[in-house]
Amino acid sequence: MASEDITKLAESLAKTKVGGGQLSFKGQSLKLNTAEDAEEVIKQIEEFDGLEALRLEGNTVGVEAARVIAKALEKKSELKRCHWSDMFTGRLRSEIPPALISLGDALIAAGAQLVELDLSDNAFGPDGVRGFEALLKSPACYTLQELKLNNCGMGIGGGKILAAALKECHRKSSAQGKPLALKIFVAGRNRLENDGATALAEAFGIIGTLEEVHMPQNGINHPGITALAQAFAINPLLKVINLNDNTFTEKGAVAMADTLKALRQIEVINFGDCLVRSKGAVAIADAVKEGLHKLKELNLSFCEIKRDAALTVAEAIEDKTELEKLDLNGNCLGEEVCEQLHEILEGFNMASVLGSLSDDEGEEDDEEEEEDEDEEEEEEEEQQQLKERGAEEQESLTPKKIIDSQASTPVPSPPVDVATFLAFPSPEKLLRLGPKCSVLIAQQTDTSDVEKVVATLLRISSVFKDEAPVKTAVHETTDALMKKAFSSATFNSDAFISNLLVHMGLLKSEEKIKTVPSLYGILMTLNHMVQQDYFPKNLAPVLSAFVTKEPLQLLVSCSTPGGELLAPS
């Protein structure tokens, strides 16, 4: 290292901010390649007593420099906050995992108990997640409250690895009597898509302590949004939900609205540019009107919301005294409706909360029928993309070398989890859940909620095949779920049967309910269910009365050899 370079480095270090247990090299553009390059940084770390926070943002750290910095950190047991965003500028992707491994191992060796870990704006991809996977699973992260991974390019594979690590951290920390209590999770701009979001949703559901979730710009569509909504429902402390620039459509928006009704601490909802459309906006407005008294910000901008729905949203905030901002910009309102919005809010003495409407798209007269067709086309495209992506992911996640020429640890395909199976059921996924699939699904289903039990049962039965492994897995999983449900004192068996018949299309409902596309799986599953001891015998005649009606008789006789369905046991 040239003497002038050392002088320059020394000058930069002289500007280092020190105080409150924090040592900061933030934004100094240090280029730390070798052990010699890092000597002054190491000296500062070693001489700092009571180091609680280390800021390395805005520099670039190579493998060798990371190794020697890590050595210095091995004695810093009081370190709690690692602000390590944007510290690999200009590095090869293959350099980042070994650097992260060195730093992570040091924190583990030091016995640190982290509160915050920020690795945002480091383009490490899925392999980079492997670099701090061991750290996340270690005692150093049992105390973690804030995890920030914005703009890291993790992709679906990285999202799954991250989710598995968080679940393992929670499991291990729970065994120690102090479960992981993560409060803030940030992972915007990571291309997580449905599968990555669904995997993380399962982790969120297990953790249950989240207060803020920021996952904008991740290419998540309604299946992933629905999985997240279900997870958010069991995180009652949630204050901030930022899913900006994903694609809800009506299905995702309705699922999220249902969750919002169960949350009491929400302060910020950012669903801007999420294509919630009019029906989704109305559902969200209903949730806002029913509760959310602490709401400070509601962003539904650029969501293709039309006239009546926008007015419904405005009317829903009447008693939200804490509200500071309502953003409806970029929708399809027209000048007249924009004026009406101002009038409504002026009537509530809340005109100041309405954001700019300068990017309004003007009133549109598209038919709802066309909107529904668009959604159906989107869903078909999503399913096709999912199949194609699944094949590509299997190839990309086959064992390979991920660290450097000296590392040959294979990367196995991430295992299927319950949330993934329920979001995208298939016989293969059910089998890949392993021998404990029945117990796992039963444990993660709220059997006090009839609708959830029906939905879970229909997803399980939809993968039924008359092949021994699949048939056995479906039966065992059904038995575990329904035995738990029927044995619960709070489970309404009559409501369950009615709800099930509605979803099978055998009983009419006042509400528009999407029925199952094929009755084969559920009929075969019911045929097994009614013969089990846990099934209430008084319910059999009710089912029998419906499934033996024309034109279902033909289907029953074709589906079940010998016409066994609902035969007395």
Side-chain angles (χ1 to χ4, degrees):
M1 190 175 188
S3 59
E4 59 268 22
D5 292 331
I6 295 175
T7 302
K8 185 178 180 181
L9 177 59
E11 291 173 352
S12 293
L13 291 172
K15 302 175 184 177
T16 298
K17 298 177 182 178
V18 178
Q22 174 175 283
L23 176 60
S24 176
F25 302 96
K26 182 179 179 179
Q28 295 184 17
S29 301
L30 303 177
K31 294 179 175 60
L32 307 178
N33 299 314
T34 65
E36 184 182 4
D37 294 342
E39 282 180 357
E40 291 293 335
V41 173
I42 292 167
K43 181 181 178 182
Q44 292 277 356
I45 292 173
E46 290 177 339
E47 293 179 352
F48 196 109
D49 293 329
L51 180 63
E52 295 184 4
L54 178 61
R55 308 197 75 107
L56 293 174
E57 312 104 303
N59 300 289
T60 178
V61 181
V63 176
E64 184 181 340
R67 191 176 296 120
V68 292
I69 290 172
K71 194 69 178 176
L73 291 176
E74 287 180 357
K75 298 178 182 178
K76 300 298 176 180
S77 61
E78 297 178 17
L79 188 61
K80 292 180 174 63
R81 298 184 182 274
C82 297
H83 302 280
W84 294 349
S85 64
D86 188 24
M87 68 174 202
F88 296 112
T89 303
R91 298 291 167 185
L92 296 175
R93 205 177 207 179
S94 59
E95 293 182 84
I96 301 176
L100 288 173
I101 288 173
S102 295
L103 294 167
D105 287 348
L107 297 177
I108 297 170
Q113 294 185 317
L114 296 185
V115 173
E116 180 179 359
L117 177 61
D118 186 355
L119 293 171
S120 299
D121 299 315
N122 290 310
F124 46 59
D127 294 346
V129 184
R130 292 288 189 196
F132 61 93
E133 179 185 18
L135 173 63
L136 280 181
K137 293 179 179 180
S138 76
C141 284
Y142 289 178
T143 51
L144 195 64
Q145 295 180 14
E146 302 179 30
L147 179 59
K148 300 174 181 178
L149 299 166
N150 200 59
N151 191 31
C152 292
M154 290 189 290
I156 296 171
K160 288 184 176 182
I161 296 168
L162 175 62
L166 288 173
K167 288 189 289 185
E168 182 70 1
C169 180
H170 186 273
R171 185 188 69 79
K172 288 182 175 179
S173 58
S174 297
Q176 297 294 320
K178 294 183 178 180
L180 171 67
L182 192 66
K183 293 181 179 180
I184 298 175
F185 180 83
V186 181
R189 300 184 67 185
N190 271 291
R191 297 180 285 108
L192 295 169
E193 302 185 29
N194 288 333
D195 287 2
T198 300
L200 286 166
E202 184 175 351
F204 297 162
I206 292 171
I207 293 169
T209 56
L210 288 168
E211 295 180 11
E212 296 185 21
V213 175
H214 302 264
M215 295 174 65
Q217 290 184 289
N218 270 297
I220 308 170
N221 298 322
H222 72 80
I225 295 298
T226 299
L228 288 171
Q230 292 169 349
F232 293 165
I234 44 183
N235 280 266
L237 302 178
L238 264 176
K239 296 179 181 179
V240 178
I241 302 177
N242 176 7
L243 295 174
N244 189 285
D245 198 8
N246 289 291
T247 306
F248 283 40
T249 64
E250 180 190 342
K251 293 179 182 179
V254 169
M256 195 60 70
D258 288 341
T259 284
L260 291 174
K261 293 177 182 179
L263 299 175
R264 295 288 178 267
Q265 306 301 319
I266 290 292
E267 296 178 3
V268 177
I269 298 171
N270 186 345
F271 296 159
D273 204 10
C274 283
L275 201 67
V276 304
R277 291 182 170 149
S278 293
K279 290 182 180 179
V282 170
I284 292 169
D286 288 343
V288 171
K289 189 171 185 178
E290 288 184 19
L292 304 187
H293 295 293
K294 297 183 179 182
L295 187 64
K296 294 181 179 180
E297 180 178 338
L298 175 60
N299 184 347
L300 294 175
S301 60
F302 299 93
C303 282
E304 293 191 7
I305 299 171
K306 298 178 185 177
R307 174 194 176 100
D308 293 341
L311 297 176
T312 300
V313 171
E315 291 166 353
I317 67 169
E318 179 177 4
D319 62 346
K320 306 302 174 243
T321 56
E322 301 293 320
L323 193 71
E324 299 172 0
K325 183 176 181 181
L326 171 63
D327 193 344
L328 291 171
N329 198 19
N331 286 298
C332 311
L333 308 181
E335 186 176 345
E336 182 181 343
V337 177
C338 289
E339 291 177 359
Q340 285 183 272
L341 286 174
H342 282 286
E343 291 172 1
I344 290 172
L345 295 176
E346 283 176 358
F348 301 154
N349 292 320
M350 297 175 70
S352 62
V353 307
L354 184 63
S356 170
L357 298 173
S358 60
D359 292 321
D360 183 63
E361 295 289 337
E363 188 171 5
E364 293 184 5
D365 297 318
D366 294 338
E367 296 293 331
E368 288 185 0
E369 193 170 72
E370 292 178 0
E371 184 176 282
D372 291 339
E373 288 175 358
D374 289 342
E375 285 194 33
E376 290 173 3
E377 289 174 2
E378 288 169 4
E379 185 172 359
E380 290 173 359
E381 289 174 3
E382 288 167 15
Q383 294 299 327
Q384 182 61 34
Q385 290 170 2
L386 190 66
K387 291 177 182 177
E388 294 172 356
R389 189 169 66 242
E392 293 171 359
E393 192 177 347
Q394 286 301 315
E395 292 179 4
S396 65
L397 291 175
T398 50
K400 60 180 180 178
K401 295 181 180 180
I402 64 167
I403 303 302
D404 54 27
S405 59
Q406 297 178 338
S408 58
T409 303
V411 184
S413 297
V416 172
D417 51 40
V418 171
T420 302
F421 167 72
L422 292 178
F424 314 104
S426 72
E428 294 74 19
K429 287 192 181 78
L430 182 62
L431 294 176
R432 285 175 59 197
L433 280 172
K436 293 184 178 180
C437 64
S438 57
V439 176
L440 293 172
I441 291 176
Q443 285 178 343
Q444 296 183 36
T445 302
D446 180 7
T447 51
S448 65
D449 188 328
V450 167
E451 182 71 36
K452 288 182 180 178
V453 174
V454 170
T456 302
L457 176 63
L458 290 173
R459 288 186 174 95
I460 294 168
S461 63
S462 69
V463 306
F464 180 90
K465 282 186 178 182
D466 197 15
E467 299 174 3
V470 177
K471 184 176 181 180
T472 300
V474 169
H475 286 173
E476 289 179 351
T477 308
T478 298
D479 289 343
L481 172 68
M482 299 313 304
K483 186 175 182 180
K484 177 185 175 184
F486 285 127
S487 63
S488 172
T490 60
F491 187 67
N492 190 328
S493 300
D494 293 332
F496 165 74
I497 292 297
S498 298
N499 197 296
L500 179 61
L501 291 170
V502 167
H503 281 276
M504 291 174 68
L506 305 181
L507 186 64
K508 291 184 178 180
S509 171
E510 294 181 359
E511 300 178 4
K512 187 177 180 181
I513 301 293
K514 185 176 181 180
T515 58
V516 294
S518 170
L519 288 174
Y520 174 71
I522 186 60
L523 288 175
M524 297 302 289
T525 303
L526 285 172
N527 185 64
H528 168 80
M529 271 177 55
V530 299
Q531 299 178 57
Q532 307 309 307
D533 291 338
Y534 62 74
F535 188 84
K537 301 306 177 187
N538 63 304
L539 297 181
V542 180
L543 277 176
S544 182
F546 281 90
V547 300
T548 55
K549 285 182 179 180
E550 288 284 1
L552 200 62
Q553 284 181 334
L554 178 60
L555 177 57
V556 173
S557 62
C558 292
S559 300
T560 57
E564 299 170 346
L565 189 65
L566 300 179
S569 58

